[in-house]
Structures are given as C-alpha cells and as structure tokens.
C-alpha cells in the first residue's frame, strides 16, 4: 500500500516483480555433448555446483541444527524438519535441475508424514489433492473458484459441526495453513497468468516443507516463489537462507527470554513502571512470529527458493504506514495485490485522496476479517471481540491518516527539494534535527503500537481499561 | 533485477562464529552460584509455558495462533503438543480412561480400580482400591507400619510405572533399611499411594477421611505442590458446576467471605458456570486462607486418630518451579505448616541441579520420569533420616543420632550388595 504512493525515485518493486524468471538467466552447457564442470546439460548457471561453498553451507546448517537441538528451538517437529532438510540438501543439490522441484515436493511430503503421522498426513494429502485437482479442472475460472469456495464452506461447516468426527482434529489446521491464503493467491494468479501453471509448481507451492512445523506461516506469493527459484547463484541463495535462519534463531531466543524472564501477567500491572514493562514485553512477543517467519523462509532458500525478507526493522518504524510496510511484508503485499490495487484501479476516476481512503479502509476491513478467518481455521474459533475490532479499527485510521499525509507530501516534495537545494541545506545541524525528529517519530510509533497491541491481547475492553487504570494511577 | 543483500565469505564466517558462540554458551557448565546467568540460559532453552499462560491463556492473538487449537486452561492445545513432538497415543489424564467421574460428589473423580493399560509404552496398573500401586489388603497385617501418601499426579506417578514412583521406592528402602542398619524390629512397611492426578488439597483431605483412614495408617504424608492453588480453583469450579455439596463448613465460609453467593453458582445449558470468571476473581485472594484451613482440617483429622502427619513439598520439573518462581509458595506452605505445628520437608530443590530434559517424561509434559522420582525418593529418604522423631517412629530400635545415621546411610562410596543401597549411596551429598 505505502509503496505505491511513495516518491517514484525510491519506489520499490512489488514482491512478485523483484526477480527475473529463470528462463532469462544465462543458460550454459546447452544440449550439446560437452558437459561443463558442476552443471548437467541445459542447466542454468545459477545451479552450478561447487564443493567448497556447498560444504560451507552444510557446516553452517549443521551448526544451526545443533543450536536448535541444544536450545530446544520450536519443538521437535521443527527439529525433525531441520534435520530432514540437512539430510536432503546434498541430494537436492546434486540432483539435476529438472529433478529439484519434485525432490523438494517429496521431502515436504515426507516431512508431513514425519511430523503428523500416517493418519493425519494421508487425510491431508487426500484433501490437498482434491483442492489442487479443482484448480486444474477444464472449466472456466469462475466455476473453479466457485467450486473451491463451496468446498471450503462445506469443510468449515463440517469442522464446526463435527460432522467428520472420525477425521483427526489436527487435519483442519494443517490443511488450513497450506491453503487458506495461498489458495486465494493462486486463484488470483490463475485468473491473470498468461500461461497455465504446471502441476509440480502448484503442488510445490502448497507443500512447503517448513509449513509443517509452523502453522502460522508467511503468506508466500506464488509468483515471487516461482521467479525467485534459482534467481541467483545457489550458494548465495543458501547463504542468505542460513543468515535468515540465524536471525530467526536469535529472535526466537530473545522471545523466550522476554516470555519467561520479563513478561508479567496483565493482572499484575501496578503503577507506571510495570505498565511500561508490560506494554513493551507484550509487544515484543511478536518476535516469535518474525523469528518463525525468518526461519521458514530461510529453510526455503536452502532449496533454491530465493524470497524477500518477511520483516524489516519493524521496531524502528517512523510512522504507521512505515510500520505497515515493515511488519509482515508478505501480508502487506498480499493485501496490496488482492485489495488495495484493485480498489484504487476501480476508483481511478475519483480524486486520489478519496480513492486511497476507500482502498485503505477496504484493506483494514479485509485484514480484520481474514485474521478472524485464520483464527477459525487454525484455532477453531473466530475470535471476534471488541479489542480485536478496536485494534484493527484504530490502526486502520492511523494508517489512513498517514497515507493521506504521505500522498500530500509526495506531491509537494519536488518544490521542497528545490528550496532546500537553494538554501544549501546540507548542514550538520539540520542532519541532527532530522535525526532527532526521526527518533521522536520512532518512539511515538513504538509507543502507540505497543499500546494498541496490549489492547489486542486483552480479553475485553473492560480488562484493558482496568489494566491501564492500575498502570497509570497505580491503584 | 532488485538484488537481495550481498553475501560474502566474511558474512558466512560471521554467522558461523556467532552460532558457535551461542552453542558454546549453552554447552559450558556455568558455576552453580551464577544463578542469574543459569536462569537466563534455562529460559532460553525452555519450551514451557510461562507463569501467566499456565494460569490463564493471556498472551494474545499470535500466541494462540502459533499453538493452534486451544487446550484446557493453562495447558497447550493438541496441535501445539504435536508440534512439540507428542506422538500418537500420548493422552492427558482425563482422556486416558483410567479415572471415573463421580457426578455431584465433592471428590469429583477417582482412579478406576483394577486398571491394566499401556500408557506411553508402559503399563499403568491400579490395585483393587484404585491406587497406582501394588495390591494391598484393607486390613492391616500384624507387624506392618503403614504410610498413607496424599497427593496429585506428581505423587501418583504419571508416565512412569508404579514401581518407579518415589513412594514405592520409599517402601522398598524402608523394608531394606532396618535390616541393613540392624534396627529391624520385624516390621514390614507399606506405603499406600492415595494420590490421584489433579487432586486439589481439598480432594486430598476428602481422600484421607473417606479412604485412607480406613486402612489404619501409622503415618500420613501430605504432598504439597506449587500448583495447589490452581488445582483448588479448578476443583471448586468443577464442584460448583456439578452442583456438588461443598461438604466442609470452612469452604462454605470462605465463599461467603469472598462474597460469592449462591446467585453466582448458576450453570448454563451446556453445563458451564455462568459466572466462572467472577467467582475466580473473588476467590483468588482467599485461596491461601482456604489452604490453611484445609491443612488445619487435615491435621485435626490425623490428630484425633493419633496418626502423625508430615508435609512434603514436591516440585515439578522445569522452570515452573525454579527457585525464584517457587519462593513465595514454598514460604507460604512452610508458614502454614508452622501454623499447625506440622513437620515439613522441603524437597522443592530436588531438581535444581539437573537438566530438566533429563528429568521430565517428555518436553511437553513436566511430570518427573523414573530418574525424577528417584531424585524425589532420595530427597525424601534423606529428610526422614535427618528428622529424628519421625525416624524413631519408623525405626524404634534405632540408637544412633540422626546425624550419624545420615552420614552412614548416604556415604557416597559404600560397599553393599543390596541394589537399593547401592543406588542410595551413589547420590552425591
């Protein structure tokens, strides 16, 4: 959302446009008889195998797995999948390029069986085959989307009414985490893609190995995943993945320290100091989400899927649109593609501020509804409550105001720039002033978000007001 | 093409170095006196729920989402347990089909007699009286000294066989100790394990009166845990929900004192307490008083029957009962014991020096495993030996002072062919 109204000079490309497709990369060793060292005939250069860089990646990954085991990071399911990734990586690395995607899919399915057992995995596989099969039906896009919507509604009813008592309860969150958002993105792609998608790409998109230990999973974009596949030298991609995983490890360890050592129950807030401590620690629990997302995307990198970062210094956001752009970047892009851009496009004849306002409101309403939808599939309850509505409502209003201000600022920016140039503005005191303003904005944004987060975490508005009363007045 | 951050050999080395550093910090055996650092490291390694979440699910949208479906209050959901590594067939006590409900009864539930089930790959057996222990007769055989143990799951033994429970090991040791020390008066010792998982202090009191006293015990051991207030809350809410008679006047008086009138006892169509949260909020400040009254009633029952009573404090494995976390509860329990002039053995530090992973039955279940029960038994046996009045009650023939006995029994490097003795002696001083 924010990216689309920023200064065009610094404009960032949408995630799905960040990488060239593999076909445009230099392919060496064509179908001729000569085979280049490290490459099978016809393979892209990015796939070239080299002993030392790969061994380095393996040693680093081995060290990380030892860390996971020693610190018991994220339970045994994660450890099992990390170990599986470590074991499968050499095979995947050495396999010919055309076998890599099927191999990754096979490893993911093995991971599914390993973590959830035969019964759950078999039901998940069956349901997944049904959902994917509908996507490939030789009927119109509308008919396929309608079938999928009807099936999803039937499954939701079946789940909530316990029609399928024989189906293990674990099946629902597992199938949901694979399909609840990615299927929307995939349908969007089906509608707009010029060529039909292959079965292996489709299956690989839904069966992502780390998804089977992280139920709350980043909303990976289909096109980004496909375009990022071997979009750079494989060792560079693996290195980025390992760095991501290490960052995730550190964040998960920080989360545990906060969770066990610093966080107090809301009921024990008494006075401004404990309130401040609670607000900060409660907000920082989000480190678990960002840590898991880094870990998940890092693991995908190991198998050649280059993906953008999921979070970008979100604690240092200087405003609410900036915050929205930095925290859960995949979600923001998901919203931009499916809601913001279509609404703005449809309202292109309206004045820009009005179109932006309507699109922003749409995004936040969708975000609220989809968080409830996610809660239903993963937890079994919609979780709709007053604090929830207030959280998304207030955040939406704050972002809406910020979007309008940003849009106005971006229109006035050229004039301001020329004035600044005329005044020879690059003096140090101005830099200090700008730094101070930035610091103030960061602190204000952090405080507001921490406050909102505490509201979101409260069981009711009354409980939150009671906590604030105790915190501010110390009674 | 927009590129990702550049990678280099230097950055790869940095990640490797940082990983090694973190690994080193976790592997180094830090001195025991560095409690702060050890606590931080234990937190970094702990996959357990924190205090706030054990008491209530209160950590927000994402915390619940990551764990999947909601579990019972203060516990993880099924999906979260599965992700932690819980295999098929691992069940909670309520789902294990080893207990039966007693609707409308203050006791609420009890172990089913004569159970023979495989749980977690091990036999779970109850005797004809519904105890997780070997068969015993109601009538006390002549020359037998009986000890009744009242407690919850930590004492009942969950995820271990009854032979591995600390109470069973205590029985074996008592029978062996007199002979070995030459103070055998021909007595046999029986430790009757009346503990049932999730029993609150009030249910333990009820068990003593209704069941244990009919076995004519010569000593009662009451096990207290740091979870007791929570168990009391759950038990009282269940008793109100099932409209059971509250049985004890002091319980009814506590409800009155807390301002919980009968109007708040309403149950909805689904059988749930309508004003559960209000009841919990109002009762919460009164639980320690209620605990005090419960132990008072327990002590009174024992005194009127002429049976000595000992309190032991049993810890859970892991951070939940780490020294700082348990300090207040332990102090309060000691104060209550002092109030009723009852001897108390604080065994709460039994697990402090050990890696929780080596003592708990699984990463997702903090009940002590066989080794954990061994630690509890050793700590309890040592406490009994050091407590001269209780020791002489157990072994009237004993002549040695308790200090000498302690040194003799627990000398680390002894020589005996008795397997139990060997194990006791391997325990460090």
């Amino acid at each position: 959302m924010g990216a689309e109204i920023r200064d065009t000079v610094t404009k960032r490309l949408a995630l799905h446009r960040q990488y060239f497709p593999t076909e445009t990369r230099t392919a060496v060793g064509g179908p001729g008889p000569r085979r280049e060292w490290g490459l099978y005939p016809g393979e892209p250069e990015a796939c070239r195998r080299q002993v030392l860089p790969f061994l380095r990646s393996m040693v680093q990954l081995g060290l990380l797995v030892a860390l996971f085991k020693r610190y018991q990071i994220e339970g045994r399911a994660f450890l099992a999948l990390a170990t599986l990734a470590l074991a499968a990586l050499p095979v995947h690395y050495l396999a010919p390029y055309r076998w890599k995607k099927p191999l990754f899919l096979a490893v993911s399915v093995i991971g599914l069986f390993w973590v959830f057992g035969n019964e759950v995995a078999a039901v998940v596989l069956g349901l997944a085959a049904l959902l994917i099969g509908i996507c490939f039906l030789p009927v119109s896009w509308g008919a396929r989307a309608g079938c999928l919507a009807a099936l999803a509604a039937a499954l939701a009813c079946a789940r909530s009414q316990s029609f399928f008592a024989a189906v293990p309860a674990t099946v629902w969150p597992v199938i949901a985490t694979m399909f609840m958002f990615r299927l929307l993105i995939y349908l969007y792609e089906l509608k707009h893609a010029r060529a039909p998608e292959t079965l292996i790409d489709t299956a690989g998109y839904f069966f992502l190995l780390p998804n089977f230990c992280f139920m709350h999973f980043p909303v990976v974009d289909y096109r980004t995943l496909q375009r990022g596949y071997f979009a750079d030298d494989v060792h560079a991609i693996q290195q980025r993945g390992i760095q991501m995983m290490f960052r995730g490890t550190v964040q998960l360890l920080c989360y545990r320290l906060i969770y066990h050592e610093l966080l107090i129950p809301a009921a024990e807030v008494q006075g401004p100091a404990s309130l401040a401590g609670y607000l900060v620690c409660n907000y920082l629990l989000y480190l678990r989400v960002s840590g898991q997302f880094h870990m998940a995307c890092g693991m995908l990198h190991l198998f050649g899927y280059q993906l953008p970062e999921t979070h970008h210094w979100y604690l240092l956001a200087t405003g609410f649109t900036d915050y929205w752009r930095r925290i859960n970047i995949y979600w923001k892009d998901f919203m931009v593609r499916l809601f913001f851009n279509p609404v703005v496009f449809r309202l292109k004849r309206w004045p820009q501020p009005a179109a932006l306002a309507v699109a922003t409101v749409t995004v936040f309403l969708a975000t609220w509804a989809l968080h409830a939808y996610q809660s239903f599939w993963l937890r079994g309850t919609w979780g709709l409550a007053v604090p929830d509505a207030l959280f998304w409502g207030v955040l939406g209003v704050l972002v809406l105001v910020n979007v309008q201000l940003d849009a106005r600022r971006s229109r006035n920016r050229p004039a301001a720039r020329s004035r600044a140039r005329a005044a020879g503005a690059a003096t140090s005191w101005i830099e200090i002033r700008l730094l101070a303003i930035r610091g103030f904005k960061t602190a204000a944004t952090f405080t507001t978000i921490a406050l909102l987060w505490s509201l979101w975490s409260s069981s009711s508005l009354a409980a939150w007001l009671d906590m604030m009363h105790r915190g501010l007045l110390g009674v | 093409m927009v590129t990702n951050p550049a990678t280099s050999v230097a950055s790869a080395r940095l990640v490797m170095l940082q990983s090694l550093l973190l690994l080193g910090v976790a592997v180094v055996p830090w001195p025991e006196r560095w409690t702060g650092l050890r606590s931080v490291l234990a937190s970094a390694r702990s996959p357990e729920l924190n205090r706030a979440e054990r008491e209530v699910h209160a950590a927000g949208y994402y915390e619940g989402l990551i764990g999947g479906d909601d579990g019972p209050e203060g516990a993880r959901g099924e999906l979260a347990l599965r992700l932690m590594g819980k295999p098929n067939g691992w069940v909670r006590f309520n789902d294990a089909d080893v207990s039966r409900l007693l609707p409308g009864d203050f006791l609420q539930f009890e172990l089913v007699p004569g159970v023979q089930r495989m749980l977690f790959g091990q036999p779970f057996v109850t005797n004809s009286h519904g105890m997780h222990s070997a068969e015993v007769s109601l009538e006390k055989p002549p020359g037998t000294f009986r000890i009744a143990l009242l407690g919850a799951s930590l004492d009942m033994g969950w995820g271990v066989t009854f032979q591995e429970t600390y109470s069973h090991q205590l029985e074996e040791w008592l029978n062996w100790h007199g002979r070995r020390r030459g103070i055998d008066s021909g007595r046999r010792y029986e430790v009757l394990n009346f503990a049932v998982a999730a029993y609150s202090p009030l249910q333990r009191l009820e068990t003593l009166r209704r069941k244990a006293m009919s076995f004519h015990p010569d000593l009662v051991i009451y096990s207290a845990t740091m979870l007791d207030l929570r168990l009391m809350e759950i038990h009282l809410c269940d008793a109100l929900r099932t409209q059971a008679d509250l049985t004890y006047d002091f319980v009814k008086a506590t409800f009155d004192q807390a301002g919980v009138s009968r109007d708040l006892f309403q149950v909805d169509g689904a059988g749930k307490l309508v004003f559960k949260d209000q009841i919990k909020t109002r009762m919460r400040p009164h639980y320690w008083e209620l605990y005090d009254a419960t132990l008072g009633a327990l002590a009174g029952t024992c005194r009127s029957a002429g049976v000595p009573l000992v309190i032991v404090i049993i810890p859970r494995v892991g951070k939940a009962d780490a020294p700082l976390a348990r300090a207040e509860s332990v102090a309060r329990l000691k104060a209550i014991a002092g109030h009723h002039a009852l001897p108390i053995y604080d065994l709460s530090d039994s697990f402090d020096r050990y890696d929780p992973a080596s003592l708990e039955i699984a990463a997702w279940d903090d009940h002590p495993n066989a080794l954990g029960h061994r630690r509890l038994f050793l700590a309890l046996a040592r406490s009994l030996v050091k407590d001269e009045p209780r020791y002489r009650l157990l072994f009237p023939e004993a002549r040695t002072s308790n200090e000498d006995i302690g040194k003799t029994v627990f000398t680390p490097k002894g020589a005996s062919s008795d397997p139990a003795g060997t194990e006791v002696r391997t325990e460090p001083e």
Side-chain angles (χ1 to χ4, degrees):
Chain A
M1 200 162 56
E4 285 65 30
I5 56 167
R6 281 176 130 187
D7 190 338
T8 49
V9 176
T10 57
K11 184 175 172 181
R12 291 173 61 196
L13 290 175
L15 288 185
H16 62 289
R17 298 195 187 285
Q18 287 196 9
Y19 307 110
F20 290 119
T22 314
E23 291 73 29
T24 62
R25 320 234 89 232
T26 317
V28 294
R34 195 170 68 88
R35 184 186 155 186
E36 289 223 15
W37 168 245
L39 285 175
Y40 290 98
E43 286 192 325
E45 177 63 29
C47 193
R48 183 183 291 280
R49 293 154 191 87
Q50 294 173 57
V51 177
L52 275 181
F54 179 66
L55 281 182
R56 190 166 53 225
S57 297
M58 283 299 288
V59 170
Q60 284 176 310
L61 186 61
L63 259 177
L64 280 179
V65 172
L67 262 186
F68 301 155
K69 189 169 169 55
R70 191 69 201 172
Y71 283 95
Q72 300 188 65
I73 299 279
E74 291 301 303
R76 290 192 190 178
F78 172 65
L79 186 62
L81 294 191
T83 310
L84 180 62
L86 181 66
L89 194 56
V91 182
H92 184 270
Y93 181 77
L94 293 173
Y97 182 74
R98 67 177 182 282
W99 285 107
K100 286 185 191 292
K101 280 185 179 174
L103 253 175
F104 175 70
L105 179 62
V107 171
S108 298
V109 173
I110 291 169
L112 172 67
F113 274 86
W114 192 356
V115 171
F116 293 106
N118 295 347
E119 193 185 1
V120 172
V123 179
V124 168
L125 268 185
L127 284 172
L130 180 64
L131 290 164
I132 293 173
I134 293 174
C135 293
F136 280 84
L137 284 178
V139 292
S140 71
W141 181 88
R144 281 177 284 167
C147 277
L148 286 169
L151 181 61
L155 289 177
C157 287
R159 187 192 184 185
S160 57
Q161 301 298 325
S162 306
F163 285 166
F164 295 127
V167 176
T170 312
V171 163
W172 304 114
V174 177
I175 199 79
T177 188
M178 293 165 68
F179 286 92
M180 64 184 168
F181 294 131
R182 270 178 269 160
L183 192 59
L184 298 178
I185 295 175
Y186 184 71
L187 282 174
Y188 180 89
E189 283 300 331
L190 282 186
K191 189 175 182 185
H192 295 95
R194 293 187 202 112
E197 303 301 334
T198 64
L199 181 61
I200 192 70
D201 280 347
T202 305
Y205 176 58
F206 291 112
F207 285 84
L208 295 174
L209 178 68
N211 198 178
F212 302 124
C213 57
F214 300 128
M215 293 295 102
H216 182 226
F217 199 74
V219 187
V220 177
D221 184 76
Y222 177 78
R223 196 55 65 201
T224 309
L225 189 77
Q226 303 308 335
R227 288 191 177 169
Y229 192 61
F230 283 88
D232 198 352
D233 172 60
V234 64
H235 308 102
I237 295 176
Q238 286 173 348
Q239 276 305 313
R240 281 184 204 113
I242 285 165
Q243 284 174 14
M244 263 189 180
M245 290 174 80
F246 182 75
R247 204 183 314 156
T249 308
V250 172
Q251 292 188 359
L252 289 171
L253 289 177
C254 289
Y255 157 79
R256 274 195 181 158
L257 293 182
I258 291 161
Y259 179 70
H260 285 298
E261 296 281 320
L262 301 174
L263 182 69
I264 56 166
E268 289 177 16
V269 167
Q270 209 78 40
S274 64
L275 176 65
Y278 172 77
L279 291 179
V280 171
C281 292
N282 181 57
Y283 176 35
L284 291 182
L285 289 184
Y286 186 79
L287 281 171
R288 188 176 188 193
V289 177
S290 56
Q292 286 193 350
F293 280 20
H294 283 308
M295 210 66 106
C297 288
M299 203 184 275
L300 291 175
H301 276 71
L302 299 176
F303 295 93
Y305 289 104
Q306 177 165 273
L307 289 163
E309 60 182 348
T310 62
H311 292 74
H312 183 73
W313 299 108
Y314 55 94
L315 298 178
L316 300 179
T318 54
F320 300 108
T321 40
D322 190 34
Y323 172 75
W324 181 250
R325 280 184 215 118
R326 288 167 182 262
I327 194 165
N328 201 350
I329 296 165
Y330 288 18
W331 183 270
K332 183 264 294 178
D333 285 305
F334 172 50
M335 287 292 107
V336 166
R337 280 193 90 187
L338 265 69
F339 296 96
F340 188 85
N341 285 347
V343 171
V344 169
F345 184 74
R346 194 159 284 223
L347 305 178
K348 61 188 172 194
R349 293 181 197 286
W350 287 30
Q352 195 201 30
L356 288 178
V358 173
T360 307
V361 169
T362 309
V363 162
F364 275 88
L365 281 174
T367 297
W368 180 32
L370 288 176
H371 272 70
Y373 161 84
Q374 175 173 239
S375 179
F376 170 75
W377 282 112
L378 295 188
R379 304 177 70 175
T381 57
W382 290 95
L384 290 168
V386 174
D388 190 48
L390 279 174
F391 173 79
W392 289 114
V394 174
L395 187 60
V397 169
L398 292 173
V399 172
L400 178 64
V401 171
N402 243 193
V403 165
Q404 299 293 338
L405 291 175
D406 283 353
R408 189 177 301 173
R409 216 172 286 145
S410 81
R411 282 197 296 274
N412 298 336
R413 196 165 287 169
R417 277 217 183 107
S418 60
R419 275 203 304 278
R421 266 199 299 273
T427 51
S428 60
W429 69 269
I430 289 181
E431 282 173 16
I432 291 169
R433 188 168 155 262
L434 287 175
L435 206 63
I437 290 172
R438 189 179 175 82
F440 174 77
K441 281 179 168 179
T442 304
T445 307
F446 183 92
T447 308
T448 312
I449 298 294
L451 211 56
L452 279 176
W453 212 270
S454 70
L455 171 64
W456 199 19
S457 308
S458 288
S459 55
S460 66
L461 181 61
W464 184 74
L465 289 173
D466 178 50
M467 183 196 70
M468 294 303 294
H469 183 72
R470 279 184 282 116
L472 293 173
L473 302 179
V475 289
Chain B
M1 185 178 83
V2 176
T3 55
N4 267 322
T7 54
S8 63
V9 175
S11 61
R13 282 183 185 151
L14 188 64
V15 167
M16 210 181 307
L17 198 67
Q18 289 167 328
S19 304
L20 277 171
L21 198 66
L22 271 176
L23 203 56
V25 167
V27 171
V28 168
W30 299 102
E32 273 184 46
R33 62 180 180 280
W34 293 12
T35 48
L37 178 66
R38 287 170 70 93
S39 168
V40 166
L41 278 174
S43 295
R45 295 187 55 201
S46 171
E48 298 171 30
L49 295 175
N50 71 1
R51 183 167 59 91
E53 279 214 276
R54 276 195 302 273
E55 288 166 9
V56 273
H57 276 297
Y61 179 85
Y62 288 115
E63 289 298 297
L65 212 59
I66 288 169
D69 53 344
D70 287 322
E73 274 182 80
R76 294 179 198 270
E78 173 63 22
L79 179 63
L81 292 177
R82 182 55 79 95
L83 293 176
M84 285 186 80
K86 184 180 87 77
N88 282 333
W90 194 283
V91 288
R92 288 196 173 91
F93 176 70
N94 290 345
D95 307 320
D97 200 22
V98 296
S99 63
R100 63 185 172 201
L101 293 176
L102 304 171
D105 190 316
F106 189 64
L107 206 52
Q108 291 293 305
F109 56 89
E110 63 183 4
L111 282 177
V112 178
V115 167
Q116 287 201 329
R117 281 205 59 190
M118 289 299 285
L119 283 176
F120 323 130
Q122 312 199 62
F124 185 92
V125 176
T126 60
N127 64 19
S128 59
H129 305 286
M131 301 175 210
H132 186 215
S133 60
E135 192 56 57
V136 287
S137 61
L138 182 63
E139 284 302 312
K140 185 162 65 176
T144 299
F145 187 95
R146 274 188 166 170
I147 300 173
L149 173 67
L150 306 169
S153 58
L154 298 172
D155 317 284
M156 178 191 80
W158 186 242
V160 293
T161 61
F162 77 79
Q163 292 90 342
E164 290 167 334
T165 58
Y166 75 83
S167 57
H168 187 82
Q169 294 184 56
L170 178 67
E171 182 181 286
E172 288 194 329
W173 176 73
L174 287 170
N175 282 313
W176 164 84
H177 180 71
R179 286 200 304 277
R180 185 178 176 276
R181 291 282 306 148
I183 49 177
D184 182 15
S185 55
R187 268 184 181 176
R188 272 193 70 251
Y189 296 87
E190 286 181 356
V191 180
L192 311 187
N193 189 350
F194 289 96
V196 176
Y199 261 17
S200 76
L202 284 161
Q203 286 162 301
R204 290 169 223 168
L205 167 64
E206 186 69 0
T207 303
L208 174 74
R209 291 190 171 181
R210 220 192 275 184
K211 298 181 179 178
M213 293 313 280
S214 59
F215 285 81
H216 307 292
D218 301 293
L219 173 68
V220 171
I221 297 179
Y222 172 88
S223 162
T225 73
M226 270 54 78
L227 197 62
D228 282 352
L229 293 202
R230 181 81 186 111
L231 292 176
M232 194 134 63
E233 183 174 71
I234 293 169
H235 170 229
L236 287 177
C237 286
D238 282 345
L240 294 180
R241 184 176 56 78
T242 57
Q243 298 175 335
D245 179 24
L246 293 176
T247 308
Y248 298 99
D249 289 340
F250 66 85
V251 177
K252 294 171 188 167
T254 307
F255 273 102
D256 291 341
Q257 200 184 337
V260 180
S261 60
R262 297 199 66 82
D263 306 341
L264 296 177
F265 294 175
Q266 286 176 41
V267 176
D268 64 16
K272 290 184 177 174
L273 273 178
V274 177
F275 301 106
K276 188 176 179 182
D277 286 343
Q278 278 172 271
I279 293 171
K280 282 161 73 172
T281 307
R282 290 188 191 182
M283 284 297 287
R284 201 158 286 153
H286 300 273
Y287 283 135
W288 280 114
E289 291 166 42
L290 188 58
Y291 205 141
D292 185 80
T294 308
L295 271 189
L298 219 131
T301 305
C302 287
R303 276 197 194 107
S304 60
V307 182
L309 171 66
V310 175
I311 298 174
V312 295
I313 304 178
I314 300 290
R316 284 166 290 176
V317 181
K319 281 201 69 65
D321 286 348
L324 282 176
R326 69 177 184 246
E328 188 195 344
S329 298
V330 169
R332 282 185 183 265
L333 285 168
K334 285 180 177 174
I336 291 174
H339 181 212
H340 298 290
L342 296 169
I344 183 164
Y345 303 160
D346 179 7
L347 314 184
S348 62
D349 61 353
S350 303
F351 303 146
D352 286 355
R353 284 175 294 161
Y354 305 98
D355 180 3
S358 68
L359 295 174
E360 61 196 0
I361 57 173
W364 54 91
D365 195 324
D366 59 9
H367 287 96
N369 60 15
L371 184 59
H373 274 274
R374 185 77 195 154
R375 299 277 165 225
L376 289 173
F377 152 66
L378 290 167
L380 176 57
R382 186 182 291 122
S383 298
L384 276 171
V385 165
K386 285 180 181 168
D387 178 5
E388 198 162 334
R390 251 55 60 187
Y391 188 75
R392 291 200 187 285
L393 175 74
L394 289 163
F395 303 104
E397 306 294 315
R399 291 285 180 270
T400 327
S401 78
N402 53 356
E403 281 300 312
D404 292 340
I405 294 163
K407 283 174 188 166
T408 311
V409 174
F410 297 112
T411 301
K413 289 172 188 166
S416 165
S417 57
D418 189 294
T422 309
E423 284 179 39
V424 170
R425 281 191 307 279
T426 55
E427 170 65 1
E429 283 290 316

